[in-house]
Amino acid sequence: VPLTLEGRATAMIKNILLSILAASISDFDSKIIRKALQCFIPGPELTPGRMNIFKVRNFEVMIDYVHNTDGFKEMKDFMQRVHATVKTGIVGCAGDRRDDDIRLMGKYAAEIFDEIIIRHDKDGRGRTNDELTQLITEGIRSVDTEMEITVISDEMEALSYAMEYAIKGSFIVVCSDEVQKSIEFVTAQQQEKQPALMKEY
């Protein structure tokens, strides 16, 4: 298990506390809040795109809708608790962010991952894919001039590529723009029949 129970609990508690606060401010009855917490099970069904972790063959994939600098900072804190042979990030950024914010996301990505695949949102929000790639790359290179960077614009193609070349014990993070499609893609990969292992002599 690459991620400690403590790490998962810490990340979930942060979200739950905010939900409790919002419900309390909105004058929800404490009994209703308690009942909701007791039946709430985090996962792709109830919280799609919020740290959805899937075991696929001999590696893991996490799908998360991280899309701003604060989110990447939280991701960095979270990933420090993940133990993996290789940490691969599929990252992208909305075009309506400031140049420095896009570079900062690239910087955080370089501090988190061993390998980075840059993907692009379907809507560039005023920027071309090349502009976004350049800014993210500048952020990455400010940390690691030798970082391996692959550019695959389509999220599903990027995810397919990362999973195809994943080694045992890898942890792949998809900073997703198409959360539901990515969840369906990974779920389908989970259900595929596992290839027979060759006998060693």
Side-chain angles (χ1 to χ4, degrees):
V1 180
L3 182 62
T4 65
L5 291 176
E6 178 185 359
R8 293 191 188 202
T10 300
M12 292 300 175
I13 287 170
K14 287 182 179 181
N15 290 331
I16 290 170
L17 289 176
L18 290 173
S19 299
I20 294 172
L21 176 62
S24 299
I25 292 173
S26 301
D27 291 326
F28 279 79
D29 187 281
S30 61
K31 292 180 181 177
I32 294 175
I33 296 173
R34 186 181 302 111
K35 185 176 180 181
L37 290 173
Q38 289 172 340
C39 66
F40 174 73
I41 302 174
E45 294 80 14
L46 294 180
T47 55
R50 300 299 179 189
M51 297 174 62
N52 306 143
I53 300 176
F54 303 84
K55 177 75 173 179
V56 183
R57 298 188 290 278
N58 56 6
F59 59 89
E60 291 190 287
V61 179
M62 183 170 85
I63 299 172
D64 193 88
Y65 182 62
V66 54
H67 58 281
N68 55 35
T69 53
D70 288 340
F72 269 78
K73 187 175 183 301
E74 289 294 322
M75 175 73 71
K76 179 181 175 182
D77 294 340
F78 175 79
M79 288 297 292
Q80 287 175 343
R81 304 185 184 98
V82 173
H83 303 288
T85 52
V86 176
K87 298 177 184 179
T88 300
I90 301 172
V91 305
C93 183
D96 57 0
R97 306 287 188 248
R98 296 176 300 180
D99 288 5
D100 286 346
D101 288 339
I102 299 174
R103 291 188 186 100
L104 184 56
M105 285 187 239
K107 177 180 180 292
Y108 282 141
E111 293 170 346
I112 295 169
F113 302 111
D114 303 305
E115 302 171 346
I116 294 175
I117 300 170
I118 296 176
R119 60 143 195 89
H120 301 107
D121 290 359
K122 293 297 185 185
D123 181 0
R125 300 189 193 183
R127 292 190 193 265
T128 66
N129 289 350
D130 287 342
E131 287 179 292
L132 289 164
T133 296
Q134 180 62 35
L135 290 168
I136 294 170
T137 300
E138 288 174 10
I140 294 169
R141 293 292 180 232
S142 72
V143 174
D144 187 344
T145 58
E146 303 298 324
M147 169 71 70
E148 182 178 343
I149 302 172
T150 305
V151 180
I152 304 176
S153 288
D154 183 79
E155 184 170 324
M156 297 310 111
E157 291 179 12
L159 181 52
S160 177
Y161 176 88
M163 294 175 69
E164 180 180 354
Y165 291 100
I167 65 172
K168 182 178 180 181
S170 294
F171 195 92
I172 300 168
V173 176
V174 187
C175 301
S176 182
D177 178 49
E178 301 180 88
V179 170
Q180 198 56 48
K181 285 182 68 175
S182 284
I183 289 172
E184 291 170 0
F185 182 87
V186 174
T187 301
Q189 293 294 310
Q190 282 183 311
Q191 295 170 352
E192 281 190 1
K193 185 177 180 180
Q194 302 301 309
L197 296 176
M198 293 181 65
K199 186 174 181 180
E200 295 184 356
Y201 293 94

